[in-house]
Amino acid sequence: MPSFIFHTYGCQMNVRESEAAAKALLDAGFTAAPDEASADIIIVNSCSVRQKAEDKALGKLGLLCATKRERPNRVVGLMGCMAQRLGKEVFKHIPTLDFSIGTRCADRVAPAVMAAIHGEHTLAMSDLHAQPDAPTGHVTEGAFSAFVTILLGCNRRCTYCIVPDVRGDEWSRPARDILKEIEGLAAAGIQEVTLLGQSIMNYGLRTPAFDENEPPSPGGYTIPFPRLLEAVAAIPGIKRIRFTSGHPSGVTDELIRLYKEEPKLCHHLHLPVQSGSTTVLSRMRRGYTRTQYLEALARLRQAAPDIAITTDVIVGFPGETEADFEETRTLMEAAQFDNAFIFKYSPRPGTVSATWEDDVSEEEKSRRNHVLLDDQDARGRALNASLLGSTQTVLAEGPSLRNASRWSGRTSTNKIVIFKPYDGLQVGDSVTVKIGRVAPQTLYAEDCID
C-alpha cells in the first residue's frame, strides 16, 4: 500500500488531529513513510491563527504539488484551519491540490486519499454548529506521553481571533469517553497525558460533561474541569497530567486546591495574557484586567510556589500606544514568566479587529517584539539560574536532538533538561538529576542520581 507523511503546523490540537488522521490511514492499510522523499501521500495540517502560518502552509503545498511533475501519482492534500477558512478558494491558490479537508473532519482524510488515488478531488468542510466527533489518535510504539482532546471550539470571540470561525462552537466531550480513552492509553504504556481544548477551563460549563447520576467527586470538586482532572489522576498508570490552554477566569478556588493537593497535576500552566494594558485587553475582549490577571497568578503561586507560568503576548495590536506597550513590559516583569511566545499582530479575515486601522507599523511591531524577546531571554536565564545545584525529577524522552550522547526530559514544571543517561535507561523512566548549568529555556545535568 502507498505510504504517507504529515506536515503539521500550529497548536497541539492540530498534532492530535494529525494523529487521528494517521490512525485512520493505518487502519485503511496505508503505511507511514520515514521521510517526505519516500512518501506517496503528503498531507499538510494547517493553522490560520496568523497570516504567516497560512503563507508557510501555502508555500509548502506549492512546493509539494510541483513534485507531482516528476511523480504524477503522488497525492498532496490539505487539512485543518486554513482549509476550513478558505473552502474552495484554496484550489485557486493551489490548482493541483488533490483534496482539502476542514476542521473536525479527521475521519474524512482516508476516504479523500482513496478518492485521490482514483483521480477524484475532494472538498469537505465541517458543520461548525453540529456536535463533533473528538479526534482520537494511536499510541506510537515506545511512546510514554499522549494528547487527549476534551473540548473543541471556542465561544470567547476575542476581537483578533479566528479560532471560533474555523473550529466552531464550544463542545465538551462526555467525561466517560475521556476517561475510557485515557484508561486505554495507560494500558498501552502511556504515563503522561496532556488534555487539550481551545478554552479548556470552560470544560463542561456549556455542554454537560458528567451524567446526572454520576456519583459526587470524592474530593468535593463540583466545577467540571477540576472534577475531570481529579478523575484522570485516579487512573492507574498515569503519572503526570498537563493541560492547555488556560484563561484567568478558570483559576478557581477548586483548581488552585487541586494544584496544592494532587501530585500528578504538573506544576506548569500556560496562561495567555496577550497584553499588559487593561485598555488593550478591553479592546481585545479578553474578559479580564491587568490587575485580575496578576491576582490569578498570585493565588496560584500561593498554593504552588514552584509553579511555572508560560504565556502568549501580541504586540502591535490596533491602537497599542507606547504607554500600552510599556505596561506589557512591566506586567511581564511582575509576572516573572518562565517563557513567553511573542507575536506581532496580524489581522485575520472576519475578525472584529480586522475592520480597524492596523496603525502600528511593521517596523515598530518588530522593535517591540525584539524588546520583549530580549527581556524574556534575560528573565528566563535568571529564573533558571535559581535552579543551579538543585535536584530535579524528569521523565526521560530519549536522545537529545542536538547531541545523541545526551538524553532529554521534562520536569513537572515543563523545564527541558539535558542529561547523561545510564545504561538501560528507557523512554518514560523517571530519573533524578542535579542541575549543573542553565540556559534561558534549558537546564543541563550530568549523571543521573538514581
Side-chain angles (χ1 to χ4, degrees), residues 215-222 227 230-231 234 257 261:
S217 159
Y221 296 98
T222 59
R227 187 176 176 188
E230 179 194 42
R257 178 162 67 87
E261 296 179 355

Side-chain angles (χ1 to χ4, degrees), residues 392-396 419 422 425-426 428-433 448-450:
Q392 300 288 327
T393 300
V394 304
L395 287 184
F419 60 94
Y422 56 79
L425 180 65
Q426 300 292 317
D429 283 352
S430 180
V431 296
T432 303
V433 298
C448 300
I449 295 174
D450 58 23

Side-chain angles (χ1 to χ4, degrees), residues 63-84:
L63 292 173
L64 292 172
C65 285
T67 67
K68 294 169 74 172
R69 289 194 291 266
E70 290 76 35
R71 296 182 61 175
N73 292 326
R74 171 173 271 181
V75 172
V76 178
L78 170 68
M79 64 180 290
C81 293
M82 187 177 76
Q84 184 73 32

Side-chain angles (χ1 to χ4, degrees), residues 179 216-221 225-235 241 257-258 262:
L179 297 175
S217 159
Y221 296 98
F225 184 55
R227 187 176 176 188
L228 178 70
L229 291 173
E230 179 194 42
V232 173
I235 295 175
I241 304 166
R257 178 162 67 87
L258 198 63
E262 179 48 64

